[in-house]
Amino acid sequence: MTLKHTNCVHAGTMHDENTGGVNTPIYTSTSFEYLDRTRVYYPRYSNIPNQFAVVKKMCALENKESGIVFSSGMAAITAAVLSKVKADDHAIFPASIYGGTASFVKNVFGDYNLDYDFVDTMDVDTIKQIVKPNTKMIYLETPSNPLLEIIDIKSICTFAKEHGITTIIDNTFATPINQNPDSLGVDLVVHSATKYLGGHSDICAGIVLGASKDIKSVKRLSLNFGGSLNAESSYLLERSIKTLGIRMEKINQNAMNIAAFLSGNCKIGKVYYPGLPTHKGYEIAKEQMTGFGGVISFELGNQDPIEFQKKLKIIKPSVSLGAVESIICSPALTSHYHMSSEQRKKIGVTDKLLRLSVGIEDSADLIEDLKQAMCNCSCNQGD
Ligand SMILES: *Cc1c(COP(=O)(O)O)cnc(C)c1O
């Protein structure tokens, strides 16, 4: 039996036969000799050693047989989804999914006669009403962005299996350290490796993991679409995942401390964090997650969110998430900018909402930073 941290460090490493070096060598070639060889190597075929090393490590962590690494999360997601739905099929998505995935479904599905529904409440009762004879796939994303909504993975996968429907999960926010979708019955697991897996804001990548037969059909598409990850980035990603376990432990701890601080502060309005017993999805999160992750969303009371962000000294106002450094952004000005203020309000993404991606700094410093950026206004002025 090997456990998470050991797998993070060791799984997939390719032995360097020439020197005995402990790291996987970087194979930079795009041209490989082909005579007298059974295998032809080529990066777009996703069969070069550095890609294999990442895939093997992630297979060990997600408990899946096989996988393909891509040059972005969206390349991974689109290939995984399209491997499961064909013309005239129907697919179900949660209403709150990553903006890029939502845009792919809304802007591309129609062109290829793919039918879909977005569902506000992802539970079995609601899905029963929406499912059609031609429903081939249910897509999950939990915790969601930016309100950290939690979906009961196991109940939906049980329903899906009974009806011969494939499930795909975007496990980016949780990472395999905090959530193992395979043990809850999910067929395909996708990640934006640009976030926690890469973890240092310097790699754009994605990965799909699943049973060998499922990955075969993803590969059929990826060979045609391109979007493979080069050797250098694959190596960098492999190296990053070695510290995923310890990074996530620190991030879970920091986020818990900060969420507790924010929810006890009268200058702050609503706080969304799945580790808070007051969070709507807390009970399910506690069941299916072993840690609650590093994303916290919260509303400021009376303060202007831009003024607040400008006063921060350690936490940087920037986009994306999942790195060693703490960053913050207004979803209303970034991921949800395309919606009207009214539309946003309806789904709970108010103009006062901030999304904090907690890093691995000392939580006391981060709390101090948040505190000093708050207004001097009194607490009980209300909204
Ligand atoms: C960032 C992100 C993606 C897209 O990943 P890219 O690497 O930017 O293509 C997909 N899902 C989630 C949850 C994300 O946060």
Side-chain angles (χ1 to χ4, degrees), residues 72-74 77 98 101 141 170 172-173 192 194-195 204-205 321:
S72 74
M74 283 313 300
I77 290 167
Y98 177 71
T101 311
E141 191 172 318
D170 183 333
T172 300
F173 269 44
S192 168
T194 314
K195 315 297 166 54
C204 186
L321 60 103

Side-chain angles (χ1 to χ4, degrees), residues 4-6 8-9 61 175 177-178 196 200 239-254 324 359-361:
K4 284 177 186 176
H5 292 283
T6 311
C8 279
V9 178
L61 287 167
T175 80
I177 304 301
N178 287 334
Y196 291 104
H200 297 72
R239 194 187 67 165
S240 291
I241 301 171
K242 291 186 184 188
T243 58
L244 179 68
I246 53 164
R247 279 189 283 117
M248 290 317 294
E249 279 190 355
K250 178 72 174 158
I251 284 172
N252 287 340
Q253 231 171 47
N254 278 356
V324 288
I360 62 168
E361 303 95 334

Side-chain angles (χ1 to χ4, degrees), residues 233-284:
S233 294
S234 297
Y235 175 74
L236 203 54
L237 182 55
E238 182 199 346
R239 194 187 67 165
S240 291
I241 301 171
K242 291 186 184 188
T243 58
L244 179 68
I246 53 164
R247 279 189 283 117
M248 290 317 294
E249 279 190 355
K250 178 72 174 158
I251 284 172
N252 287 340
Q253 231 171 47
N254 278 356
M256 204 64 186
N257 293 345
I258 292 169
F261 160 74
L262 289 170
S263 60
N265 191 294
C266 60
K267 291 176 188 172
I268 300 297
K270 286 188 185 136
V271 179
Y272 301 89
Y273 185 65
L276 292 174
T278 48
H279 188 74
K280 211 173 72 189
Y282 173 70
E283 289 301 329
I284 299 169

Side-chain angles (χ1 to χ4, degrees), residues 267 300-305 307-308 311 352 373-375 377:
K267 291 176 188 172
L300 291 168
N302 298 313
Q303 196 175 4
D304 170 42
E307 181 211 84
F308 175 79
K311 278 164 81 176
K352 290 194 287 190
M374 287 179 195
C375 60
C377 45

